[in-house]
Amino acid sequence: MEFLCQHVVVLGSGCAGLTAAIYSARSGYETVVVEGSLPGGQLTRAPSVENYPGFPTGISGYELISLMRKQAERFGVTFIGDEAKGAHVGEYRKIIRCENIELHCLELIVATGSSPMKLSVPGEDRYEGGGGVSSCATCDGPFYKGKVVAVVGGGNSAAAEALYLSNFCKKVYLIHRRDRMRATETTANKVLARKNIEPLWDSCVESIYGDDSRMSGLTLKNVNSGELSTLRCDGVFVSIGHRPNSDFARGFLEVDKYGYFIGAENDPAFTSVPGVFIAGDCADHTYRQAIVAAGSGARAALAMERSKNS
Ligand code: NAP
């Protein structure tokens, strides 16, 4: 296994990690970013980001992240295509064990983000990755041009996925376990006004069925009556929220009951371990916005600098 020593290691390459890396490297610290399992993070999957300041006509998540990465590279940040699996964290030296490399550093910024939650129903694993089950409309949606698809969930992500898919799919069913959307009113209204999106309220997915290689429909259950029905569709996009990527740090960083890192009361960028800072969605179950994640990345890097100078 290869070893690398660096002043600052940032875990995660989404908005929070990249912003932290830009601030850290620009301040003169040798900075390495460990990209994680999804380089660029969840934002790379957003078809269009309309509320990130500075882009008046919107920008795709992939493009926004690519620009941030370019900016980090300009300040000399090194990127490592690996994922943290565990760590040994002392007051002065931190050792991060990745799949192929071991990193030693003095300061660690954890910005590992979150991962899509699964339905955990029969058929989901079987048809995932090419068989019709997806958690990313931007990545897989174009395979469903002119077809019938379903989106599961009622939040802003599900709404955005449904709107995006409705631009080129014949029909989009929105399956939600409640009788109204959780998404903001403006977004929900857009969904409800779209002619080829049909909400199926009070419904949850019981199973995903199909042949050996592809799904062909869903078994749904009405949560009030318990009645089962089938819905034929070519693909399903699961958009029911995320869980924080914090498993690798359990044991040395404090997490809440959902697994989100807990920051210090007086400054959420600090943790109980000197030299370890947190940023982004892995420590935020409330806002989870690109701009908030970017802000918290800047804050973590500034907190790191301040703690060194104090
Ligand atoms: P979310 O707001 O937590 O919504 C998750 C949805 O999935 C909820 O409607 C929930 O139902 C449903 N759900 C959860 N577990 C389920 C299960 N096992 N089976 C069926 N349905 C289930 O998550 P999100 O939509 O991913 O959004 C995350 C955060 O990002 C939010 O703060 C959101 O505002 C933000 N976001 C913002 C934008 C934007 O453009 N501004 C875009 C995307 C996301 P219930 O409603 O019954 O709980």
Side-chain angles (χ1 to χ4, degrees), residues 58-247:
I59 182 167
S60 82
Y62 183 82
E63 215 181 327
L64 180 55
I65 282 292
S66 303
L67 289 171
M68 289 185 195
R69 185 182 167 122
K70 226 182 222 176
Q71 197 170 350
E73 283 167 349
R74 190 184 135 216
F75 293 117
V77 173
T78 306
F79 286 85
I80 293 180
D82 210 328
E83 191 182 352
K85 293 291 177 194
H88 175 78
V89 165
E91 189 172 342
Y92 296 108
R93 187 162 286 272
K94 282 88 188 150
I95 302 171
I96 324 301
R97 277 193 318 281
C98 300
E99 247 159 42
N100 304 306
I101 195 167
E102 192 170 279
L103 294 157
H104 293 217
C105 62
L106 298 177
E107 316 286 338
L108 176 65
I109 298 177
V110 179
T112 42
S114 58
S115 299
M117 288 198 331
K118 294 175 88 159
L119 290 167
S120 305
V121 297
E124 188 176 29
D125 287 342
R126 182 174 185 185
Y127 298 118
E128 209 173 38
V133 177
S134 170
S135 61
C136 176
T138 325
C139 322
D140 303 323
F143 296 118
Y144 296 89
K145 275 187 187 136
K147 301 207 165 174
V148 177
V149 297
V151 173
V152 187
N156 277 319
S157 301
E161 300 272 84
L163 285 168
Y164 173 68
L165 290 164
S166 71
N167 291 329
F168 48 81
C169 290
K170 186 161 97 186
K171 172 102 186 180
V172 180
Y173 291 101
L174 183 76
I175 300 164
H176 185 29
R177 63 185 181 183
R178 290 196 295 146
D179 62 356
R180 75 187 72 108
M181 296 190 70
R182 175 186 287 280
T184 51
E185 204 181 332
T186 325
T187 308
N189 286 342
K190 271 192 202 170
V191 169
L192 301 178
R194 194 63 63 94
K195 285 211 167 58
N196 61 342
I197 299 181
E198 183 182 338
L200 300 175
W201 305 122
D202 297 320
S203 302
C204 58
V205 177
E206 280 286 284
S207 66
I208 304 171
Y209 64 82
D211 62 18
D212 279 351
S213 58
R214 279 209 69 84
M215 64 163 281
S216 54
L218 308 170
T219 306
L220 304 181
K221 183 179 177 180
N222 183 293
V223 295
N224 298 322
S225 64
E227 196 183 319
L228 294 178
S229 60
T230 55
L231 178 76
R232 287 197 67 81
C233 56
D234 302 298
V236 61
F237 292 84
V238 180
S239 194
I240 59 170
H242 292 82
R243 66 181 295 273
N245 298 323
S246 58
D247 287 353

Side-chain angles (χ1 to χ4, degrees), residues 8 11 32 35 38 42 44 53 55-57 64 74 92 107 110 121 129 154 171-172 183 207 225 239 255 284 300 310:
V8 179
L11 300 181
V32 156
E35 290 181 301
L38 177 63
Q42 295 298 321
T44 52
F55 299 94
T57 54
L64 180 55
R74 190 184 135 216
Y92 296 108
E107 316 286 338
V110 179
V121 297
K171 172 102 186 180
V172 180
S207 66
S225 64
S239 194
V255 292
D284 172 15
S310 63

Side-chain angles (χ1 to χ4, degrees), residues 11-25:
L11 300 181
S13 57
C15 272
L18 290 175
T19 309
I22 289 168
Y23 271 71
S24 163

